């Protein structure tokens, strides 16, 4: 267990033992938290320094100063929360009258990886760095010879190669080569085993007999995995229709894959499908062919109308101002909004938010395209959230559960990408697409969302079932493929053994609690729930009215939607996330209803099209994983 540190915590121990007055007990608890906030101010000052270093003229974004500052932030943050949890662990919450003080203690007395003792925490960081290298390190020689072109990383090089190739053989070669490279001598599997061991140790410090309770720490829900699974089954009828349609496209494009008419889809092909969601030369056909039915190109109009990323940033900020949220002052753009260097992040660069109260700052991607325009709206949601949360007591100045803020951001991303909003920005001539274009757009978005959601769940479930001992080491691989079969209709491209370790690169990314698959799952599902609610409140979604479908809802300028967003943001973590979501949705559980209503026209078309082609939804995967 973590031991409390002498000082104020000693007063707490004495007060429990010898009955010191309740007011003194609460005062001592507040003093612990006040001292922790003083230390947090130092961390915030380091964040400010990092922002200044990154934006100073002539400074390299990868310079040693920045790296040292980031390492210092990580070390200081760990020491702060580790010490604080040790002190708060002796606090008897029942002795506290102030409900906010009780909630602060409850949330900060238990930790995930930061609850590990220093030696174990350093080991966990080392393992996460190694796991990161599995995905981003140049480790792979697909054709056995790297002398000419050098080794490749799974992301982005191999992923980009897979996105462009039209040969099934290439997909399989790359799929095998990456797994062979990272798991030579069982390196990847042993790294994962070591990491799970540390997650279990962290759970024991929290008093959790079931380790996954620490993984799901701030969801405060018994059997949260069961709630996620219920959502997967709720949207499964739609997923099965999309899967059946795509399976037929796979059969036409990749005959060598030998995909059965009632079978699962090969994993490397499903990975390619997901990577080609918005790729213009994808192998699968959209519902309506013909040039007149394809989505209008907005890139040229973006350049003509919005001209620069700076203007896009201001337009994104205006979206929130129209809702009645905070106005970003000129001083923000003058002092706290800076452009990234062109070499940072490549084509997939993402804007970054820096939090150092009383200020927030932004480093934005210099690219000018449709995808970045939508993403910056999500980034502005994060900025707004920080501005509201910083008014709250330390420890509650955060989102109520991981992924909650990203869910709010998802709603604005969805709204900003609609034809109705693009028309408002004078990028499209009309505020709606033709019926054929609209269906093609929904299909693309369906590939982007509906294929990803079950994968988030599978990756989360596999990790949690391993942590809790429901899957043993000897059964890892076949258990993983069993989940892929059950929830996604995906199978390996060739015969595999239980001694192999075939989890995909998105699984490794999700091992870090900061980027967990749990968080991504909740952001997608709750995001569509929020979006539906905001659209109903704004009057821009009228169920049954073809002129106001959910998929073309732009709740810009809706003070009703804005009030829901502001009320949630202002609460931070002062209340349970279910209480906060109820403000917007009137519901207290995750639901697939938002997704089903959003994609309703696509669902109808897929059912009719599959019936016309005599395609039966569902699958029976081949037995391609053999238990040793």
């Amino acid at each position: 267990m973590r031991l409390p540190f002498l000082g104020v915590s000693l007063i707490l121990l004495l007060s429990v033992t010898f009955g010191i007055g309740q007011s003194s007990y609460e005062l001592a608890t507040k003093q612990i938290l006040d001292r922790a906030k003083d230390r947090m101010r130092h961390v915030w000052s380091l964040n400010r320094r990092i922002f200044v270093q990154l934006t100073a003229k002539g400074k390299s974004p990868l310079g040693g100063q920045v790296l040292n500052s980031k390492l210092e932030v990580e070390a200081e943050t760990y020491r702060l929360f580790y010490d604080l949890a040790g002190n708060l662990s002796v606090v008897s919450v029942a002795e506290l009258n102030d409900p906010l003080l009780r909630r602060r203690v409850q949330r900060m007395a238990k930790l995930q990886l930061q609850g590990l003792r220093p030696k174990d925490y350093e080991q966990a960081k080392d393992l996460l760095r190694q796991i990161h290298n599995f995905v981003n390190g140049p480790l792979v020689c697909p054709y056995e010879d790297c002398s000419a072109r050098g080794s490749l990383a799974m992301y982005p090089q191999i992923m980009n190669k897979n996105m462009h190739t039209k040969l099934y053989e290439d997909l399989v070669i790359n799929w095998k080569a990456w797994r062979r490279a990272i798991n030579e001598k069982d390196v990847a599997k042993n790294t994962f085993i070591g990491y799970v061991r540390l997650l279990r140790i962290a759970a024991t410090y929290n008093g959790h007999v079931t380790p996954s309770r620490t993984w799901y720490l701030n969801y405060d829900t018994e059997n949260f995995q069961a709630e996620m699974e219920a959502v997967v089954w709720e949207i499964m009828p739609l997923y099965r229709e999309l899967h059946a349609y795509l399976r037929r496209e796979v059969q036409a494009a990749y005959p060598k894959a030998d995909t059965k008419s009632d079978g699962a889809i090969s994993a490397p092909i499903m990975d390619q499908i997901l990577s080609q969601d918005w790729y213009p030369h994808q192998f699968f056909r959209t519902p309506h062919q013909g040039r007149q039915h394809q989505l209008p190109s907005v890139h040229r109009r973006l350049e003509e109308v919005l001209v620069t990323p700076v203007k896009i940033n201001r337009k994104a900020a205006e979206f929130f101002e129209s809702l009645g949220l905070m106005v970003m002052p000129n001083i923000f753009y003058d002092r706290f909004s800076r452009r990234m260097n062109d070499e940072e992040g490549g084509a997939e660069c993402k804007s970054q938010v820096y939090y150092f109260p009383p200020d927030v700052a932004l480093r934005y991607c210099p690219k000018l395209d449709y995808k970045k325009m939508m993403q910056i709206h999500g980034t502005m949601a994060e900025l707004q959230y920080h501005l509201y949360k910083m008014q709250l007591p330390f420890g509650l100045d955060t989102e109520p559960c991981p992924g909650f803020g990203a869910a709010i951001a998802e709603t604005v991303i969805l709204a900003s990408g609609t034809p109705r909003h693009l028309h408002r920005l004078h990028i499209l001539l009309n505020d709606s697409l033709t019926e054929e274009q609209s269906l093609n757009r929904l299909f693309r978005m369906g590939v982007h969302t509906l294929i990803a959601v079950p994968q988030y769940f599978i990756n989360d479930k596999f990790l949690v079932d391993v942590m809790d001992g429901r899957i043993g080491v000897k059964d890892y691989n076949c258990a993983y493929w069993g989940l892929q079969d059950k929830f996604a209709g995906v199978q390996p491209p060739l015969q595999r053994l239980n001694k192999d370790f075939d989890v995909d690169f998105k699984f490794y990314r999700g091992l870090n609690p900061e980027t967990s698959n749990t968080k991504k799952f909740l952001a997608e599902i709750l995001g569509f729930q929020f979006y539906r609610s905001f659209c109903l409140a704004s009057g821009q979604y009228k169920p049954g009215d073809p002129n106001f479908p959910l998929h073309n809802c732009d709740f810009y300028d809706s003070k009703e939607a804005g009030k829901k967003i502001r009320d949630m943001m202002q609460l931070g973590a002062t209340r349970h996330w279910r209480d906060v979501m109820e403000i917007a949705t009137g519901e207290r559980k995750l639901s697939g209803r938002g997704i089903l209503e959003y994609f309703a026209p696509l669902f109808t078309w897929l059912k009719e099209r599959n019936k016309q082609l005599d395609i039966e939804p569902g699958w029976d995967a081949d037995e391609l994983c053999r238990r040793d």
Side-chain angles (χ1 to χ4, degrees):
M1 62 175 289
R2 289 182 298 268
L3 296 176
F5 296 87
L6 297 179
V8 179
S9 59
L10 184 60
I11 299 174
L12 293 169
L13 287 168
L14 291 171
S15 65
V16 172
T17 306
F18 298 107
I20 293 175
Q22 195 168 41
S23 59
S24 299
Y25 191 79
E26 290 208 355
L27 178 61
T29 304
K30 288 176 181 177
Q31 287 177 348
I32 292 173
L33 291 164
D34 288 344
R35 291 181 182 181
K37 185 172 182 179
D38 289 340
R39 292 175 64 182
M40 194 67 205
R41 288 192 181 97
H42 174 60
V43 174
W44 290 334
S45 70
L46 292 173
N47 283 334
R48 184 184 295 269
R49 183 202 301 171
I50 290 170
F51 175 73
V52 171
Q53 289 170 341
L54 284 169
T55 55
K57 291 184 179 179
K59 298 289 185 183
S60 165
L62 303 176
Q65 274 187 314
V66 173
L67 179 60
N68 289 337
S69 295
K70 287 183 177 179
L71 291 174
E72 189 176 354
V73 165
E74 188 177 81
E76 285 293 318
T77 304
Y78 164 69
R79 285 193 291 267
L80 189 164
F81 284 105
Y82 181 80
D83 293 351
L84 179 59
N87 281 323
L88 295 180
S89 65
V90 302
V91 174
S92 174
V93 176
E95 299 294 322
L96 303 174
N97 281 330
D98 184 344
L100 286 185
L101 186 59
R102 285 201 302 269
R103 183 149 179 84
R104 292 169 76 186
V105 171
Q106 287 170 333
R107 283 184 66 90
M108 303 181 80
K110 295 182 179 181
L111 302 169
Q112 291 179 314
L113 292 179
Q114 288 178 331
L116 293 169
R117 291 178 177 174
K119 184 178 178 181
D120 286 338
Y121 180 69
E122 287 302 318
Q123 185 181 358
K125 287 199 304 178
D126 287 341
L127 291 174
L128 283 174
R129 279 190 284 267
Q130 191 170 353
I131 288 166
H132 176 83
N133 196 52
F134 291 160
V135 178
N136 298 86
L139 305 173
V140 186
C141 300
Y143 295 95
E144 306 280 338
D145 180 14
C146 285
S147 57
R149 287 175 287 184
S151 301
L152 304 177
M154 167 51 78
Y155 185 85
Q157 288 103 332
I158 292 178
M159 184 177 169
N160 285 336
K161 285 166 67 71
N162 289 345
M163 182 173 69
H164 292 89
T165 188
K166 295 182 179 180
L167 298 175
Y168 180 62
E169 298 92 325
D170 285 348
L171 293 174
V172 175
I173 287 170
N174 292 337
W175 189 91
K176 290 193 298 183
W178 177 66
R179 284 161 176 79
R180 184 172 60 245
I182 67 170
N183 209 33
E184 186 177 2
K185 297 181 180 179
D186 290 332
V187 169
K189 182 190 288 188
N190 289 332
T191 301
F192 173 63
I193 291 169
Y195 183 68
V196 168
R197 182 185 69 84
L198 293 171
L199 289 173
R200 288 171 173 165
I201 291 173
T204 64
Y205 293 156
N206 290 327
H208 290 156
V209 177
T210 307
S212 61
R213 288 193 61 192
T214 288
W215 183 254
Y216 294 138
L217 187 60
N218 286 319
Y219 295 104
D220 300 323
T221 300
E222 288 292 330
N223 204 354
F224 187 57
Q225 187 188 97
E227 185 171 345
M228 291 193 292
E229 182 172 339
V231 174
V232 173
W233 288 121
E234 186 180 359
I235 66 174
M236 186 58 71
L238 170 55
Y239 179 86
R240 284 157 59 94
E241 295 288 349
L242 179 60
H243 180 280
Y245 177 87
L246 289 170
R247 180 174 57 206
R248 187 171 185 272
E249 296 295 298
V250 169
Q251 289 175 311
Y254 295 121
K256 291 185 178 180
D258 192 26
T259 304
K260 294 180 174 61
S261 58
D262 62 348
I265 294 175
S266 179
I269 297 178
M270 191 62 97
D271 289 343
Q272 186 187 47
I273 289 171
L274 192 52
S275 72
Q276 290 186 341
D277 50 1
W278 293 105
Y279 180 56
H281 307 295
Q282 79 287 352
F283 78 81
F284 50 85
R285 290 171 294 180
T286 52
H288 294 286
Q289 300 300 297
R291 192 169 182 179
Q292 74 275 21
H293 300 319
Q294 300 312 302
L295 300 179
S297 174
V298 300
H299 185 74
R300 181 179 296 178
R301 285 293 294 162
L302 263 174
E303 291 181 332
E304 291 172 353
V305 174
L306 297 181
V307 185
T308 66
V310 174
K311 193 166 183 182
I312 288 182
N313 295 348
R314 288 184 177 269
K315 285 294 181 184
E318 284 176 18
F319 191 105
F320 293 92
E321 293 164 14
S322 80
L323 301 176
L325 273 68
M326 289 195 184
V327 176
M328 302 304 290
N330 286 332
I331 192 173
F332 169 77
Y333 297 103
D334 293 341
R335 293 181 56 190
F336 300 111
S337 178
R338 292 289 183 269
R339 184 181 188 272
M340 287 181 173
N341 294 335
D342 289 334
E343 67 268 22
E344 286 187 75
E348 294 299 313
C349 71
K350 293 183 180 180
S351 300
Q352 300 170 351
V353 173
Y354 295 81
Y355 181 62
F356 37 82
D359 300 308
V360 292
L362 169 70
R363 293 181 67 238
Y364 58 86
C365 178
K367 306 293 188 298
L368 186 67
D369 59 34
Y370 174 64
K371 186 177 180 180
K372 296 296 178 292
M373 185 206 73
M374 291 192 297
Q375 286 176 345
I376 196 62
H377 280 75
T379 304
M380 284 294 174
E382 185 181 353
L383 280 166
Q384 288 277 342
Y385 209 167
H386 279 313
L387 290 170
Y388 282 107
K389 290 184 301 184
M390 71 172 61
Q391 312 300 324
L392 295 168
F394 173 62
L396 302 179
D397 52 346
T398 184
E399 59 187 350
C401 69
F404 198 94
I408 296 176
E410 181 71 18
T411 68
V412 190
I413 292 171
L414 288 169
S416 67
T418 58
R420 185 163 281 151
H421 191 72
L422 294 176
H423 174 68
R424 187 190 300 277
L425 296 177
H426 306 292
I427 292 170
L428 287 183
L429 294 177
N430 301 308
D431 65 359
S432 63
L433 303 174
T434 67
E435 186 176 339
E436 294 80 9
Q437 288 175 325
S438 182
L439 193 59
N440 282 347
R441 175 176 175 269
L442 269 180
F443 181 84
R444 290 283 198 170
M445 294 195 69
V447 170
H448 174 79
T449 302
L450 299 171
I451 302 299
V453 166
Q455 292 300 321
Y456 295 147
F457 174 72
I458 288 165
N459 287 334
D460 179 84
K461 181 172 174 57
F462 178 74
L463 170 62
V464 166
D465 285 358
V466 169
M467 286 176 62
D468 289 350
R470 289 185 290 275
I471 298 175
V473 175
K474 293 182 179 179
D475 298 319
Y476 278 0
N477 211 41
C478 289
Y480 172 75
W481 287 117
L483 294 173
Q484 287 288 352
D485 172 19
K486 181 176 180 179
F487 295 105
V490 173
Q491 66 184 25
L494 67 164
Q495 189 72 46
R496 305 300 285 169
L497 300 174
N498 235 342
K499 68 179 183 180
D500 299 318
F501 194 55
D502 292 332
V503 294
D504 69 4
F505 77 92
K506 294 179 286 294
F507 173 79
Y508 289 108
R509 280 180 165 177
L511 290 177
N512 189 328
E514 296 296 315
T515 55
S516 73
N517 285 288
T518 324
K519 185 176 180 178
K520 292 172 184 175
F521 181 94
L522 182 126
E524 286 284 359
I525 299 301
L526 192 54
F528 276 91
Q529 282 183 264
F530 285 159
Y531 183 63
R532 177 182 179 275
S533 173
F534 300 160
C535 290
L536 286 169
S538 68
Q540 291 300 307
Y541 171 42
K542 300 176 181 178
D545 187 338
N547 294 316
F548 292 92
L550 184 55
H551 59 79
N552 196 26
C553 159
D554 172 22
F555 55 84
Y556 180 95
D557 205 30
S558 169
K559 301 302 185 290
E560 294 80 8
K563 184 179 186 305
K564 288 176 179 285
I565 295 173
R566 182 174 58 253
D567 288 349
M568 289 196 296
M569 288 183 171
Q570 286 177 332
L571 283 173
T574 58
R575 292 167 62 183
H576 195 287
W577 67 273
R578 295 191 191 278
D579 296 334
V580 184
M581 77 170 280
E582 191 175 17
I583 292 171
T585 66
E587 301 168 330
R588 296 183 60 82
K589 290 188 70 175
L590 296 179
S591 165
R593 185 177 182 182
I595 282 181
L596 290 173
E597 291 186 21
Y598 187 94
F599 291 106
L602 176 64
F603 195 9
T604 300
W605 182 86
L606 284 169
K607 286 188 288 187
E608 292 174 353
R609 183 61 175 163
N610 288 338
K611 189 173 182 180
Q612 289 171 2
L613 297 172
D614 197 25
I615 300 173
E616 189 69 30
W619 55 82
D620 287 314
D622 295 329
E623 291 288 339
L624 290 176
C625 188
R626 192 172 74 243
R627 300 185 185 278
D628 304 338

